Amino acid sequence: MIRVFTILILMICGSVASGESLKTSAGEVSVMTMLAGLDTPWAIGLLPDGSFLVTERDGQLLLARDGKATKVRGVPKVAAQGQGGLLDVTIARDFDRTREVFLTFSKPQSGGAGTAVAVARLSENGKRLTNFKVIFEAVPGGSGGRHFGSRVVEAQDGTLFITLGDRGDRPTAQDRSNHMGTVIRINRDGSIPADNPFVAQEGIRPEIWSFGHRNPQGADIDTSGRLWVSEHGAKGGDEVNLVKPGANYGWPVISYGTHYSGEKIGEGTSKDGMEQPRLYWDPSIAPSGLMVYSGGMFPEWRGDIFVGSLKFDYIARLSGNPLREVEQIKGPETERVRDIVQAPDGAIWFISVGQGAVYRISRSS
């Protein structure tokens, strides 16, 4: 009760504030606090009525509506250890009709935990999840607390893409008999699309869409229906990848980074049959949420990719062909940016883990 009350006070204070401003390539923009007082927030999902959901890694799901933040009940038990816990939340495209939301989380398993995906209905009053169903569970999971990946995005055809990390066990990312270090594609009921690239191939998990990933924590679909992901490298070698069906993205055989010990990773930076990143960072920025902008509020940014940096506390704007970082949006609010999404009105919302807050970027009035 004390915790929710604290959030309520902070949200009311933030909602009446004029907000701060930042100078960007689109001119001076307003940065408004939408919710504060959060404990390790991981993801936001914007609802059609203007309210929004926020996950906290320790297992809390909050609904912010009409100046109040309340706990949503019916959330699954999570293995809140290391980088695991309650992670992504994605609002179904047909939420107005189905009220469905998708959650990813580290699910307790025998001997450890694995990334799981669930679908549930948000009650009309927003106080509870109902009809909760786990539709995917990564196998074999693991005992470590690292590299759960865990973004879920809905494609234009209604299928779901989910990013999965290697769980700190590097060779598994090249082993398609398990789900580690992959992007998977499933239907909304958890069934497997017939046109997945490895369907009916012996010894390969049929959910796999691409493999050879280390720990992809950002994902979005562009206006052409293409999937982009951002993923953590080791020491250097953070990547942005355009994901293609059946493709191998190289980890840990190729990388632009090194092990934390300074030793070389794998066989170098390229190898036949393995994809090159569209962009990589060295030194690492620790990228998390990724958003491809298509809104009307900032027409000069349409088609650009925005990626949050956990390490250097800014939002990177990527543009061009070849893709490159063309701008850093930075201020006190961008401390450890974990998630970034586009609102229906074209505003940009993001989570700052360092500030424990959700912010909205919009045109200055």
Side-chain angles (χ1 to χ4, degrees):
M1 182 66 70
I2 293 174
R3 177 170 153 58
V4 175
F5 181 65
T6 302
I7 292 174
L8 170 58
I9 292 173
L10 288 167
M11 184 174 181
I12 292 173
C13 291
S15 66
V16 299
S18 59
E20 302 297 326
S21 62
L22 290 175
K23 291 183 178 179
T24 73
S25 61
E28 193 169 272
V29 299
S30 173
V31 183
M32 178 70 70
T33 304
M34 305 306 293
L35 185 62
L38 297 168
D39 181 10
T40 319
W42 213 91
I44 45 178
L46 305 180
L47 295 165
D49 65 358
S51 62
F52 59 98
L53 295 171
V54 186
T55 61
E56 293 181 319
R57 204 171 62 194
D58 67 358
Q60 303 292 326
L61 179 64
L62 300 172
L63 174 71
R65 170 192 284 167
D66 298 331
K68 299 180 181 180
T70 56
K71 179 180 176 180
V72 179
R73 301 191 180 277
V75 177
K77 181 180 179 181
V78 303
Q81 58 178 4
Q83 298 168 1
L86 183 60
L87 302 172
D88 205 11
V89 57
T90 295
I91 311 303
R93 294 179 187 275
D94 59 1
F95 178 87
D96 280 333
R97 179 174 60 85
T98 65
R99 299 196 64 81
E100 287 188 343
V101 299
F102 304 103
L103 296 173
T104 66
F105 60 102
S106 53
K107 183 176 182 292
Q109 297 173 329
S110 176
T115 302
V117 184
V119 62
R121 294 176 184 268
L122 183 66
S123 63
E124 290 289 341
N125 62 11
K127 293 182 178 180
R128 176 172 291 276
L129 296 179
T130 64
N131 296 358
F132 183 89
K133 179 184 178 183
V134 174
I135 57 174
F136 170 82
E137 185 173 339
V139 293
S143 59
R146 295 187 293 159
H147 300 183
F148 289 90
S150 219
R151 291 294 171 191
V152 53
V153 294
E154 185 179 359
Q156 293 172 349
D157 64 1
T159 59
L160 302 177
F161 289 110
I162 299 100
T163 69
L164 302 171
D166 69 0
R167 298 303 315 283
D169 185 2
R170 294 187 293 270
T172 62
Q174 292 294 319
D175 179 2
R176 288 170 288 170
S177 68
N178 68 74
H179 294 118
M180 305 304 103
T182 67
V183 173
I184 66 161
R185 177 175 176 251
I186 59 175
N187 293 316
R188 281 174 53 163
D189 62 359
S191 62
I192 298 164
D195 59 347
N196 270 9
F198 301 115
V199 167
Q201 293 193 33
E202 187 176 355
I204 301 178
R205 296 283 175 176
E207 299 92 347
I208 294 176
W209 185 256
S210 63
F211 64 106
H213 300 279
R214 184 175 183 269
N215 188 28
Q217 285 194 350
D220 198 12
I221 305 288
D222 68 17
T223 56
S224 298
R226 302 179 300 175
L227 176 67
W228 294 83
V229 301
S230 58
E231 52 188 288
H232 291 261
K235 186 178 180 182
D238 292 346
E239 297 181 355
V240 172
N241 284 302
L242 177 59
V243 178
K244 299 183 291 186
N248 181 353
Y249 288 83
W251 178 257
V253 180
I254 61 173
S255 174
Y256 283 90
T258 63
H259 292 300
Y260 293 109
S261 65
E263 293 183 5
K264 178 182 176 181
I265 293 174
E267 302 176 19
T269 58
S270 64
K271 186 174 182 178
D272 288 347
M274 296 183 177
E275 299 293 320
Q276 286 288 298
R278 293 302 176 101
L279 177 145
Y280 72 90
W281 285 277
D282 189 9
S284 296
I285 71 165
S288 193
L290 177 149
M291 177 267 291
V292 184
Y293 190 76
S294 61
M297 186 174 290
F298 302 103
E300 57 270 79
W301 289 345
R302 283 191 192 127
D304 291 350
I305 296 174
F306 291 76
V307 179
S309 168
L310 292 164
K311 182 177 181 180
F312 293 127
D313 302 332
Y314 68 90
I315 298 171
R317 182 171 69 87
L318 315 179
S319 190
N321 187 15
L323 194 67
R324 61 189 182 92
E325 184 179 286
V326 297
E327 183 175 9
Q328 295 180 359
I329 299 172
K330 187 177 180 69
E333 300 85 0
T334 61
E335 184 181 358
R336 291 186 58 78
V337 176
R338 172 64 76 181
D339 195 16
I340 182 165
V341 300
Q342 178 184 308
D345 64 357
I348 297 172
W349 291 51
F350 67 92
I351 280 177
S352 164
V353 181
Q355 297 287 351
V358 176
Y359 295 100
R360 176 181 182 266
I361 296 175
S362 61
R363 290 282 189 191
S364 295
S365 56

